Amino acid sequence: MLLLLKGAAAATVAWCLASWLLPVTVTAFAPFTALLALQSTVYRSLWDSAQYLGAMAIGTAVAAGFGTTVGVHVWTLAVLVFLAILVARADLLGGQRSQVPVVALFAFVGGGGRIEYIGHLVTSAVIGVCCGLAAHLVIAPSPHTDRARGRVADLSGRTRELLHDLARGAAGEIPVEDLGRDWPHRCEELAAQAARTRGELEQAWENTRLNPRRPWSSAQASLLRCHETVGTVERIGTYLRSIARALAYERQALASPGPAGSSAPVGSSGPTGSSEASASEDFLVSYGELLRDVASALECLDPPHGPEDPGRLRRHVEDAGRRYDEATDRARVSHLDRPRQWPVHGTVLVEAKRVLEEITYLADRAEETRH
């Protein structure tokens, strides 16, 4: 609402000044450029204004070159438009490059490329830019970070929920038919939410650049922690997707005895089938405890705010490390002879180690920030 009010005020003031100082043929450019200069952030407003003025300089120069030499004709208009569009293909002017042919056409067709008309046109645009920037600088947008921090905290919470559900799935507390259907979808949703959160963080970060309102340093430090958290969650989401696939395969194999699932029926009375099933069940239960400890460490970390009790966080990380060692030792001494059993167990252990390393890194960074 504040941006809308500033836009209306800037456009009105720009039109009044242009109507007072300039001919009526160019007054429309003042409110137009005022609205163009008034973007969501101070940095974006300054950058877009500079690019637009650059596009106007190029477009009016082309129009003046044709108008003062060969005059206004059908063929000169065609050549002028061709050259202006060719120049606009360059990336130097960013999003405002399309304004080059527009300004060239206005200056050439509306004023015949005359220097006097072009001078008035440029003056009208400068008035609009000044009014738009003045409105933005007088009441600059506050560099709030609460919304971004809330988004990151919600993203971290969904990651913890997924870790807990994976732990329940590893322990056999979730029906087998739900494993392969629900988990991949949730991992994709987590990645999409992380991408949206990163976009909001980038906009919030841009709002801190060249912003005359304080505090800069505290807002930027908070957003840096948010960026680190989102990057960590994105990587953790990739690891969890791999864990989900492997756990779903392993649970479905245990629930579907026979040649397709194992070298001997898992539910049979033979020693091979029963020992394989027992080894897998013991490993999965131990692995579920590991995931629960990892989720507890992430909850205690409380990103992006940081842990209130670093000692408690460190204990959770150490407990998760011990659980990982126990699961690794259990897999090492078990007789895992069923096809693909070692690759599955190795995959979930490697990915869990990566998740733990990511959380340990965030914990170390949080402690460094506190000191």
Side-chain angles (χ1 to χ4, degrees), residues 3-362:
L3 186 63
L4 293 176
L5 293 174
K6 288 193 293 186
T12 303
V13 172
W15 181 79
C16 292
L17 290 176
S19 299
W20 179 44
L21 298 173
L22 301 171
V24 70
T25 53
V26 297
T27 54
F29 264 82
F32 168 73
T33 52
L35 294 178
L36 186 144
L38 201 61
Q39 301 296 322
S40 58
T41 65
V42 174
Y43 174 81
R44 180 57 50 191
S45 297
L46 291 170
W47 185 241
D48 282 8
S49 298
Q51 288 182 331
Y52 178 76
L53 292 177
M56 171 162 277
I58 296 174
T60 53
V62 173
F66 277 85
T68 56
T69 55
V70 296
V72 180
H73 305 287
V74 174
W75 69 271
T76 55
L77 178 64
V79 175
L80 177 139
V81 172
F82 176 80
L83 291 177
I85 294 176
L86 185 63
V87 173
R89 294 176 64 88
D91 294 332
L92 297 176
L93 300 175
Q96 300 300 326
R97 58 187 181 180
S98 61
Q99 297 295 333
V100 174
V102 174
V103 172
L105 279 172
F106 268 98
F108 189 69
V109 177
R114 298 189 308 272
I115 301 299
E116 181 182 2
Y117 179 85
I118 290 176
H120 291 155
L121 188 66
V122 172
T123 303
S124 179
V126 171
I127 290 174
V129 167
C130 291
C131 290
L133 293 180
H136 222 354
L137 293 173
V138 169
I139 310 177
S142 177
H144 288 302
T145 60
D146 294 343
R147 181 177 179 180
R149 287 158 63 97
R151 295 284 190 181
V152 174
D154 180 64
L155 181 65
S156 175
R158 294 190 65 176
T159 306
R160 293 196 303 269
E161 291 177 4
L162 183 56
L163 276 167
H164 280 298
D165 288 345
L166 286 173
R168 293 174 57 221
E173 300 173 7
I174 296 179
V176 175
E177 59 270 13
D178 294 340
L179 302 185
R181 181 178 66 250
D182 182 51
W183 286 349
H185 177 65
R186 292 178 62 182
C187 290
E188 292 174 3
E189 285 185 341
L190 187 67
Q193 183 180 358
R196 291 192 300 269
T197 303
R198 182 175 293 280
E200 292 187 9
L201 285 176
E202 290 175 354
Q203 184 175 3
W205 176 262
E206 184 180 276
N207 191 33
T208 64
R209 302 178 66 180
L210 304 179
N211 195 318
R213 298 183 65 173
R214 295 296 191 271
W216 281 1
S217 57
S218 60
Q220 289 179 341
S222 176
L223 290 175
L224 279 175
R225 290 195 298 271
C226 289
H227 270 289
E228 289 182 352
T229 302
V230 171
T232 300
V233 169
E234 285 179 327
R235 291 188 293 273
I236 288 177
T238 303
Y239 307 148
L240 294 185
R241 187 181 295 111
S242 178
I243 291 174
R245 292 197 195 100
L247 289 180
Y249 170 83
E250 182 69 1
R251 273 294 166 194
Q252 289 168 357
L254 289 175
S256 304
S262 60
S263 56
V266 175
S268 66
S269 58
T272 303
S274 60
S275 64
E276 288 178 6
S278 176
S280 293
E281 286 289 352
D282 292 342
F283 171 81
L284 290 176
V285 170
S286 177
Y287 189 79
E289 294 300 324
L290 164 62
L291 293 181
R292 286 192 176 92
D293 285 334
V294 171
S296 299
L298 184 59
E299 182 176 5
C300 186
L301 178 60
D302 191 23
H305 308 283
E308 295 182 358
D309 187 353
R312 182 166 171 262
L313 168 63
R314 183 56 58 185
R315 288 193 297 273
H316 278 296
V317 172
E318 292 174 354
D319 289 342
R322 283 193 294 269
R323 291 285 188 184
Y324 172 80
D325 293 338
E326 292 175 4
T328 303
D329 292 339
R330 192 178 298 275
R332 185 180 295 114
V333 301
S334 300
H335 298 288
L336 306 177
D337 300 323
R338 181 162 43 85
R340 299 185 182 179
Q341 199 168 22
W342 265 114
V344 169
H345 288 203
T347 295
V348 295
L349 285 173
V350 169
E351 302 297 4
K353 181 65 173 178
R354 290 173 175 172
V355 173
L356 187 57
E357 287 175 350
E358 294 287 350
I359 295 177
T360 302
Y361 172 77
L362 275 185

